[in-house]
Amino acid sequence: MSRNQPNKKNEKEKWMIFHPLDTAEIYRNLLAGNQSSGRRQSSKKGDPNKQIDHLWYDVHYRQQKTYAKKESKNRLYPLKKEIALSNEQLETYRQVLKQRREALALLSRYQRVKILHGRPTGKAFPGLGAAHVREATLTIHPVYGVPYLPGSSIKGVVRHWALEAFFEGSEKAYETALKGEAGEAQARHARAIRDVFGDQEHSGAVQFHDAFACEEVCLKPDVLTVHFGDYYQQGKPPTDRMDPVPNEFYGVEAPYFEFVITLAGERDFSLEGDDLLEVAGTWLKQALSEMGIGAKTTSGYGCFDFFVDRTEDTLQQGFQCLESREEKRKAQEEALRREREERERKEAWARKWAAMSEEERLLYEIEQLKSDHHEDREKSKSELYERVVAQAEQGNLEPARALRKYWEETGDWHVKKKKKKQHEKVQILLRLLGES
């Protein structure tokens, strides 16, 4: 597929060269880039309802001014003071978190679930070492467009902590204890690690799910200054004459992250299922408090200092959402059922009406008249009266008898001669009925 070329008239589109030509053409019609700091709003250029509203582009693409080598020293835009979720993305993220709670509620019917909210001590840098134009990046969810902590990373950190805590980080010591050659206490620890994380023969009983931040998540810049660049790159002796080189990059800030672990499986464990999940939860809290997760943990980043068990509250919210959705579904089905029945009733009546004779239709209309409705009384003296006379002249007298009965109820049958028009109509009906 042919590659796209940047539009020289629009510097903001230069990052589009990373897309295929046809994709870039579509995105050019959607893009509404905004280089201002803080919460991103719709740009005045383009359709505000059609834009690429995704943090992936802010972190990975909207960074570089030029790709010319001669301008490489000034090729990057300065970092924004803060990148928060836009209004549109915030609404989408709320729906994602709501669906996640519903999914966990459903999952809790078949598996044991534990949900922890952890408060970070500062910024976190998940995925900082991946390839990037600034040589420092972040792990952004490719679908939801928000920073997150992958479940595989969480599992790796917790397992590493367990090995350090019980076997001084030695895989060999762990395997020895698993064989029962290091005492009963060490064997219990080894079996618990095997049950939680698995081994070559069995998968781990505990699943570590991706951890998502709360709605107030945002990206804020941080800086790492290299003071002896020539020493690291060229091996020169480090001196104070070397120029410090600051490297800026984004970090993740959020009031809390939501960690989810679940336990499934019916095989025998060294501990009861609930106890094993509690152990895994305790290890997770200890690992993230003592070791942290992501990059720069030795500098205190990516660590957590407080955890709250929110399993019951979160699952209750999920079940409430499911109940609300079920009620809406039932209401929609009931509305559709009523609509279908009404449509079928009308169709049946239309078929019945089409099969009626004019006399039968006229009788039905007279029977539907109400004596206390002025409009019905006027209709009986005009349109219906003329049709009744026409039927009576053809020998069909039932409509005339029905109209007489209605007029007797409304007081329009026994009228004085001074009501000339109505008196004449009554006399005509009497004549047609053979009673005059």
Side-chain angles (χ1 to χ4, degrees):
M1 185 177 294
S2 60
R3 303 298 297 178
N4 176 46
Q5 294 298 323
N7 186 343
K8 295 181 179 180
K9 295 182 180 179
N10 191 346
E11 291 289 331
K12 295 180 181 179
E13 288 188 1
K14 287 192 172 182
W15 56 270
M16 294 301 293
I17 65 172
F18 295 107
H19 290 293
L21 183 61
D22 54 352
T23 306
E25 188 63 28
I26 296 173
Y27 280 5
R28 279 199 180 100
N29 297 326
L30 301 177
L31 178 62
N34 188 353
Q35 297 296 330
S36 61
S37 62
R39 187 175 295 279
R40 293 174 294 120
Q41 302 292 340
S42 300
S43 171
K44 294 181 179 179
K45 296 182 179 180
D47 185 351
N49 296 318
K50 296 180 179 180
Q51 57 178 314
I52 305 174
D53 198 6
H54 203 288
L55 288 186
W56 181 279
Y57 289 92
D58 289 309
V59 173
H60 293 282
Y61 289 151
R62 297 171 185 151
Q63 298 282 335
Q64 197 160 342
K65 298 179 184 178
T66 178
Y67 301 97
K69 292 183 179 180
K70 63 181 180 179
E71 301 177 15
S72 59
K73 291 185 178 180
N74 298 312
R75 72 187 191 283
L76 301 178
Y77 288 109
L79 294 184
K80 301 175 185 178
K81 295 181 180 179
E82 177 182 326
I83 299 180
L85 300 181
S86 67
N87 295 331
E88 294 83 359
Q89 194 173 21
L90 182 60
E91 181 61 30
T92 300
Y93 191 39
R94 286 171 178 163
Q95 292 297 321
V96 169
L97 296 178
K98 179 182 177 182
Q99 292 175 3
R100 178 180 168 93
R101 289 192 293 268
E102 293 175 0
L104 290 173
L106 289 174
L107 186 64
S108 67
R109 295 174 177 173
Y110 311 100
Q111 298 184 11
R112 297 176 178 88
V113 177
K114 191 173 187 62
I115 302 170
L116 300 171
H117 283 189
R119 182 180 66 189
T121 58
K123 295 187 184 74
F125 299 95
L128 189 70
H132 192 266
V133 65
R134 294 184 185 273
E135 299 181 0
T137 184
L138 287 175
T139 299
I140 304 295
H141 198 283
V143 177
Y144 306 142
V146 293
Y148 75 110
L149 305 176
S152 57
S153 299
I154 299 171
K155 182 177 181 180
V157 168
V158 178
R159 188 179 188 279
H160 178 64
W161 177 90
L163 286 177
E164 288 287 345
F166 302 119
F167 301 102
E168 298 181 349
S170 173
E171 289 281 355
K172 185 176 181 180
Y174 158 69
E175 294 174 359
T176 300
L178 195 59
K179 296 176 182 178
E181 300 175 0
E184 181 57 29
Q186 290 294 82
R188 286 198 301 270
H189 293 317
R191 288 194 295 269
I193 292 175
R194 179 198 60 192
D195 290 343
V196 170
F197 303 105
D199 55 20
Q200 295 296 327
E201 298 180 359
H202 303 95
S203 60
V206 177
Q207 292 80 45
F208 292 80
H209 297 257
D210 295 340
F212 288 92
C214 61
E215 298 173 6
E216 292 79 10
V217 63
C218 66
L219 307 183
K220 289 187 177 181
D222 208 313
V223 61
L224 175 66
T225 302
V226 179
H227 290 270
F228 307 108
D230 292 341
Y231 166 72
Y232 293 113
Q233 296 178 3
Q234 302 177 21
K236 295 181 180 181
T239 65
D240 291 338
R241 293 184 178 183
M242 293 183 180
D243 295 330
V245 180
N247 294 308
E248 292 185 309
F249 45 87
Y250 285 118
V252 182
E253 280 195 2
Y256 68 87
F257 280 80
E258 184 175 84
F259 298 89
V260 178
I261 55 176
T262 58
L263 185 143
E266 300 298 333
R267 69 175 188 268
D268 294 333
F269 301 121
S270 58
L271 298 172
E272 294 293 333
D274 291 336
D275 294 336
L276 190 62
L277 194 63
E278 285 296 323
V279 167
T282 301
W283 289 358
L284 185 149
K285 291 186 285 186
Q286 291 293 108
L288 296 181
S289 298
E290 298 175 11
M291 289 185 169
I293 188 170
K296 298 172 68 65
T297 53
T298 55
S299 299
Y301 293 97
C303 293
F304 293 76
D305 63 354
F306 184 72
F307 286 88
V308 178
D309 191 327
R310 297 299 302 273
T311 304
E312 185 175 349
D313 294 343
T314 304
L315 293 182
Q316 184 178 3
Q317 293 175 10
F319 282 120
Q320 289 175 350
C321 292
L322 289 172
E323 291 175 1
S324 176
R325 178 176 295 185
E326 182 65 15
E327 290 176 358
K328 290 181 180 179
R329 185 189 66 80
K330 290 182 178 179
Q332 291 175 350
E333 288 183 352
E334 179 64 17
L336 290 174
R337 184 188 64 80
R338 292 179 179 178
E339 182 181 346
R340 182 177 63 255
E341 290 179 352
E342 179 65 16
R343 183 173 62 253
E344 292 174 352
R345 186 190 65 79
K346 289 181 178 180
E347 291 174 353
W349 173 247
R351 291 192 296 270
K352 182 178 180 180
W353 182 265
M356 285 182 178
S357 64
E358 175 61 21
E359 180 184 9
E360 292 172 332
R361 293 180 184 178
L362 188 54
L363 281 171
Y364 175 80
E365 292 184 57
I366 295 173
E367 290 172 356
Q368 301 305 309
L369 296 175
K370 296 182 179 180
S371 59
D372 57 346
H373 281 200
H374 176 73
E375 293 81 2
D376 286 355
R377 292 179 64 181
E378 292 300 318
K379 182 179 180 181
S380 70
K381 298 175 184 179
S382 55
E383 174 194 347
L384 293 182
Y385 167 75
E386 294 175 358
R387 292 167 60 190
V388 165
V389 171
Q391 286 293 313
E393 290 175 347
Q394 297 176 15
N396 301 322
L397 300 180
E398 286 302 318
R401 295 189 182 99
L403 184 59
R404 174 181 178 173
K405 181 179 179 181
Y406 175 73
W407 279 353
E408 288 175 346
E409 293 176 358
T410 60
D412 294 320
W413 182 256
H414 300 288
V415 294
K416 297 180 180 180
K417 291 184 179 181
K418 64 180 182 179
K419 293 185 177 181
K420 185 176 180 181
K421 290 184 178 180
Q422 182 62 17
H423 184 268
E424 289 178 355
K425 292 176 182 178
V426 171
Q427 295 303 313
I428 291 174
L429 286 184
L430 286 172
R431 178 177 56 79
L432 292 172
L433 292 171
E435 298 181 14
S436 59

